[in-house]
Structure formats: structure tokens, C-alpha cells
Amino acid sequence: MPFKRVNTTKRIAKIAKMKKPATKTFTGSRIRHQRTRVGMTQSALARKLDISASYLNQIEHDARPLPLTLLDALCDIFSVGVDYFSDTEETRGIQALREILADPVFDADAVRLDSIQAAMRVAPDLCAQFIRLYRAYLLRQEHTAAPLIGPDLPQHGGVRDAPDRVEPYEAVNDWVQAQRNYFDEVDRTAERQAEQMRLDAGNPGEQLTRYLLDRHGIRTEIDLGLGQKGLMWHMDRRHRTLFLSRIIPSESSTFWMAQALGQLEHQGVFARTIRRSRLHETEARGLARVYLTNYFAGALLLPYERFRTTARDVRHDLERLQRHFGVSFEQACQRLSTMQRPGSEGIPFYFLKTDIAGNILKSFSANRFTQSRFGGPCPLWNIFRAFSTPQQVQVQLSQTTDGALYLNIARTVGRSSISYLDRPRLTAVVLGCSIADARHLVYSAGLDLHDPRMIIPIGPGCRACTRENCHHRALPMVGHRVDIDNEGRGIAPYRTAL
């Protein structure tokens, strides 16, 4: 009996938006992975889809593209959203491979883009291991250039050994990205607790203070010296006291209390989520627990359905969301990047936080946007312009080197200085969505989304960027000869030789 398709207006609209008629999407490895995961044979899946087994075999081996007519059924069979079958993960992998192959250790001209794309479609797991290997190579290079100092580190030939593994924070970031920055059990647990506590009925900070005292006997106090120790909050379980730093704003102290609540009541939920990951090292699992604690706090203060509905009603106006929920600008931005609950998805956003030197502090993406993994951010990005106009929103239309168009919203975040000698960290965040979703954002008001003059070309970092005549290029394009003609000078300091 053929599988009964349940078509909803929302899902059909999303499918239409995700796929253009001329686009051919090859998703064989993802279909095969889901089929294997649930223990279903190829013939059984073919019967559910009401197609022949030979046709499904061709789709799984990328001899045929996935037709739109099968997307809805596949989503229902495997309980995934339509974005799972988009080319998002493939795009990120291709971008990472392009950056890696630009390294002088490889012959950049020997591998064509279509070969990289084919490799990602046919052997995504092998490509992922290649990226992992390159990371280990970079790590060893860094350790060789700047030897570690410590009495317990072995030495051979005057150079201390560097670990051939992915750094724990990178492993956790990969895991979060693979989940599209959405963790269903943690999110629903936080949403249920917010409803039970009725956090929307009053001041969330006051309610959390009372809850911690009434339920756990934990008092909340301000510690004047906590900031000097580099801490924002500290739990003293022996004296049943949660100490908060005096230098943090009220919305941050509320967030820290939500974190403490998650640690007190939901360690089991965090442990189950981490067990389902591929994180095996103790340090990586510990960092994952820290991340899930933060995720829980955001989901508690900004419950999924209520936040998604409100965001849609105010056209994702971040300042209005701040006031409505009593959170910070950064918290509202980061929560928008998690709205990927299957069947109830919000706009797919990417979110990134950086300091003024360009160091990436946070980076998540629910769309196809891919931040450079082996180089610095592009200086043309509006996140850097935000530093020149503190606390003011910067809006930008941008185009990445793969041709994708985005609407970006950037602003500085963080606390202000509390004294002349205080040096708070200067940071900014950027939130971006596909230009196809721009009309749903208040920030598109007054913009001509179809005027190419409004679009700023941005790249993955100078070494991997393929834009030849960029006025802001700081380093030559890796893998290409530099034009050393002394009879003329271009606008850019480095030009590629023809």
C-alpha cells in the first residue's frame, strides 16, 4: 500500500522556497543514511514512496536527482524537516574543501570545483575525515611554530609533540552545526518548565529568584569581587547560595539564574543528548554540557512557540523582542538561530559573534551560509562596521562567493565600561538570512532587494577568496601566482597573474 502523504500549506510553501524548478538536488547519501538508521530496506522504502526499487536505487546512488514530489513523503517517513534534504551541509563541506585545497601544500589547479562537489555527494564521510585530518595538520604546524611549555610534555628532536586530534571546542561546534543548532529534548523541556513556572506572567528574574529559593533553598546574592576572579556567577552548594557578579546587566543575571536552574534539575536531559552525539573525549563532552546549559537557559527565557510567534508578529524586530521578553540583543539573535523544530520551523538564520580583532567567538548556521574555517572573516562584512557605530544596528545586503544573497543585521553587544580603568571586551554579533526571507524582516523596509548596487560582495577570508579585484584584499589568493609586473600598480596590493 503506498504511503499516504499529508501535505500542509506550510510545508509545500517551504519546499517551493527551498527548491527552484531548475535546481537538481542529489541527496542519495542522506536518504541512504536515514533508511539505514531506521532499519528499512530499499525495497520497503520504495513501496512507501510508491516508486520502483530500481528508481530509488538510482536516486540513492545520485544517478537521478531527488524529485520535489517525494520530499514530503520522505520527511514524514523519517521525521525530519525538508531542510535535511537541502544542500546546506554539502555547501559547507564544499566551502571547507575549497579553503583546504587553496593551501600551498596542495596543487590548487589540479582539483576542479565539480570534482569537489562530486566527492561531497558520493563520499561525504570521507570528505569529513579529510577535513579532520587537515585540522590536525594545522594544529601540529601551530605547535611546531610555537612549542608548548610544560614539564609533562614529551619532546623528540627538540620539538614537542602536538596532538593529532580535533580540538574539543571544534568537535562541539561541528556537533552543534550538524544538529542545525536545535536540540529537541532540551528545547521542549525548557518550554514545559517555562509554562509551569508561568515566566510570562511577571518579571522572569524575580520569578527565578523565588523559584530557586522555594524549590531548592538556594539564595541569590551579589558578590562584589566575583568579576575580579573572571567569573560572572558561582554556585556554592554547601552554603546554598548562587553568587552573581555586580557588573552584569539584569538580563544577563536572569540568564545566569536560568543556567543554574538547568544544572540543578536537568542534568539527565543533557546527559542523554550528549550520549547521542559522537563526542567521546571527556573535555569535549564537558564543553557540550556547558553549551546545552546555555541552550536551556535561552529556551527557558524564550520558549519556542511563544518566541517564534512573537518574532513573526513583530517582523523579527530585535529591539521589540528584547523588550517583550526582557533579554539582551545577543540572546534574541542567538535564539532566532535555533528556530528549527521539525514541522514548526522559523526563518533559517545564521548567527556569528566576533571581537574587534576578528576572532570568531560563536558561529551557528541554520541556512547555507558558511563561515571560513581556516581563515579570518571578510572586512567588508557589516559586523566590522558595527564597531564604528556602537549600539546601532547595521543592515547589509551581501553576496558570498557561491552566489548566495543574504540580509545581515549587525550590532555591538556587551557591557559598557564601569570605570576609567575598566577594559570591557569589544564584541559584535551578526544575524543573517537568505534574501528570499528578507521580506519577513522589518530590516528590509526601504531596501530595494533587487538593486545589484545595494549588494556588498563578501568572501571567506583573503587567502581562500576568489574575488580578484577586491580593494580590501590583504593577502594574495593561495594557489595562484602573484602578478609582479613593476610597470603598473593595481588598486589591490596583490593581483593574480593571468
Side-chain angles (χ1 to χ4, degrees):
M1 181 177 179
F3 184 83
K4 183 178 179 181
R5 298 173 176 80
V6 182
N7 290 312
T8 64
T9 303
K10 183 186 297 182
R11 180 175 285 174
I12 292 173
K14 187 165 188 181
I15 290 173
K17 180 177 68 175
M18 187 184 75
K19 301 297 176 190
K20 296 179 181 179
T23 300
K24 292 185 178 180
T25 305
F26 295 90
T27 61
S29 60
R30 277 164 279 182
I31 295 174
R32 189 163 56 249
H33 170 76
Q34 288 295 326
R35 181 172 58 77
T36 304
R37 181 182 64 84
V38 300
M40 185 182 297
T41 65
Q42 198 175 70
S43 57
L45 178 58
R47 285 195 298 271
K48 285 183 174 290
L49 295 172
D50 195 21
I51 61 176
S52 68
S54 60
Y55 183 36
L56 178 59
N57 184 67
Q58 289 178 317
I59 293 175
E60 286 197 3
H61 287 85
D62 288 332
R64 293 281 190 94
L66 175 67
L68 285 174
T69 53
L70 297 182
L71 260 179
D72 188 52
L74 286 169
C75 291
D76 285 329
I77 293 170
F78 297 128
S79 299
V80 297
V82 294
D83 287 329
Y84 177 82
F85 296 105
S86 72
D87 59 359
T88 300
E89 290 303 318
E90 185 176 305
T91 300
R92 293 194 185 98
I94 291 171
Q95 179 61 40
L97 289 175
R98 289 180 66 187
E99 291 181 35
I100 290 172
L101 292 171
D103 192 302
V105 74
F106 301 106
D107 182 356
D109 296 327
V111 184
R112 294 167 53 88
L113 177 59
D114 54 0
S115 298
I116 298 175
Q117 294 169 332
M120 277 300 301
R121 286 199 301 267
V122 176
D125 292 337
L126 181 61
C127 292
Q129 292 303 313
F130 177 74
I131 295 171
R132 179 187 178 95
L133 177 63
Y134 183 76
R135 279 179 171 172
Y137 161 75
L138 286 185
L139 188 62
R140 178 169 287 277
Q141 293 291 93
E142 292 174 3
H143 281 264
T144 301
L148 296 173
I149 299 175
D152 300 325
L153 295 175
Q155 260 187 311
H156 297 284
V159 178
R160 298 179 184 272
D161 285 344
D164 293 324
R165 64 183 179 92
V166 176
E167 287 287 342
Y169 69 89
E170 289 188 337
V172 172
N173 188 69
D174 287 347
W175 171 59
V176 172
Q177 190 58 68
Q179 301 300 315
R180 298 174 63 79
N181 197 22
Y182 175 75
F183 295 87
D184 192 73
E185 185 179 7
V186 178
D187 209 295
R188 292 182 187 274
T189 297
E191 187 174 36
R192 286 193 297 269
Q193 181 144 22
E195 292 174 356
Q196 293 166 3
M197 295 175 62
R198 299 194 62 188
L199 284 181
D200 60 332
N203 184 298
E206 294 176 356
Q207 289 175 283
L208 281 167
T209 300
R210 286 196 301 269
Y211 183 87
L212 289 171
L213 183 61
D214 296 342
R215 182 68 178 268
H216 298 281
I218 293 179
R219 303 188 314 275
T220 303
E221 295 185 4
I222 299 298
D223 186 337
L224 300 181
L226 205 59
Q228 297 177 350
K229 302 174 185 177
L231 297 174
M232 293 293 99
W233 66 274
H234 171 69
M235 175 80 75
D236 187 337
R237 294 179 184 266
R238 180 181 177 184
H239 294 95
R240 314 297 294 172
T241 304
L242 174 65
F243 292 103
L244 301 173
S245 172
R246 70 185 180 99
I247 65 173
I248 57 177
S250 59
E251 61 266 20
S252 294
S253 62
T254 302
F255 189 82
W256 305 140
M257 284 189 283
Q259 282 186 332
L261 175 58
Q263 288 194 5
L264 289 168
E265 296 190 0
H266 301 295
Q267 286 295 332
V269 176
F270 302 157
R272 283 194 300 274
T273 303
I274 294 171
R275 278 198 298 270
R276 291 192 289 266
S277 73
R278 294 184 179 181
L279 301 173
H280 303 297
E281 294 186 7
T282 301
E283 190 175 351
R285 294 170 76 88
L287 289 174
R289 188 172 289 105
V290 171
Y291 174 81
L292 291 178
T293 303
N294 292 338
Y295 187 99
F296 171 84
L300 180 70
L301 299 176
L302 302 165
Y304 193 97
E305 282 300 335
R306 190 158 64 90
F307 182 71
R308 186 179 70 90
T309 301
T310 305
R312 182 192 61 204
D313 292 344
V314 302
R315 298 190 65 203
H316 302 85
D317 188 320
L318 290 159
E319 283 89 352
R320 292 183 65 180
L321 289 172
Q322 272 188 269
R323 291 194 300 271
H324 185 89
F325 289 95
V327 297
S328 69
F329 188 89
E330 179 181 346
Q331 290 164 6
C333 287
Q334 187 162 342
R335 185 55 169 153
L336 282 174
S337 73
T338 69
M339 298 283 102
Q340 293 303 301
R341 180 177 293 178
S344 188
E345 296 92 342
I347 291 176
F349 284 99
Y350 78 81
F351 168 82
L352 186 140
K353 181 179 180 179
T354 181
D355 64 17
I356 197 169
N359 299 305
I360 304 300
L361 309 178
K362 297 179 184 178
S363 179
F364 312 113
S365 180
N367 53 42
R368 65 181 292 182
F369 180 85
T370 304
Q371 169 54 32
S372 173
R373 305 180 75 168
F374 306 105
C378 179
L380 286 171
W381 215 357
N382 65 333
I383 192 170
F384 294 109
R385 188 173 294 273
F387 287 107
S388 64
T389 56
Q391 304 302 309
Q392 295 182 23
V393 172
Q394 289 280 341
V395 179
Q396 179 189 64
L397 295 178
S398 66
Q399 183 176 39
T400 52
T401 52
D402 63 355
L405 297 171
Y406 297 94
L407 174 67
N408 307 317
I409 306 104
R411 205 198 80 172
T412 54
V413 295
R415 67 177 181 84
S416 58
S417 177
I418 60 174
S419 75
Y420 174 72
L421 298 178
D422 186 30
R423 298 292 184 269
R425 192 176 198 176
L426 299 176
T427 57
V429 297
V430 61
L431 187 74
C433 69
S434 167
I435 198 170
D437 295 310
R439 67 185 186 279
H440 301 299
L441 274 65
V442 67
Y443 303 100
S444 65
L447 294 180
D448 186 347
L449 301 178
H450 304 289
D451 186 348
R453 295 173 299 177
M454 297 290 293
I455 298 172
I456 305 298
I458 64 174
C462 291
R463 291 175 63 82
C465 184
T466 57
R467 302 188 194 279
E468 294 186 6
N469 296 317
C470 177
H471 299 181
H472 297 261
R473 179 174 289 281
L475 294 167
M477 193 188 316
V478 172
H480 296 268
R481 291 186 299 108
V482 176
D483 185 355
I484 56 174
D485 181 14
N486 289 318
E487 300 302 319
R489 176 177 174 82
I491 296 175
Y494 303 100
R495 294 196 303 165
T496 301
L498 299 177

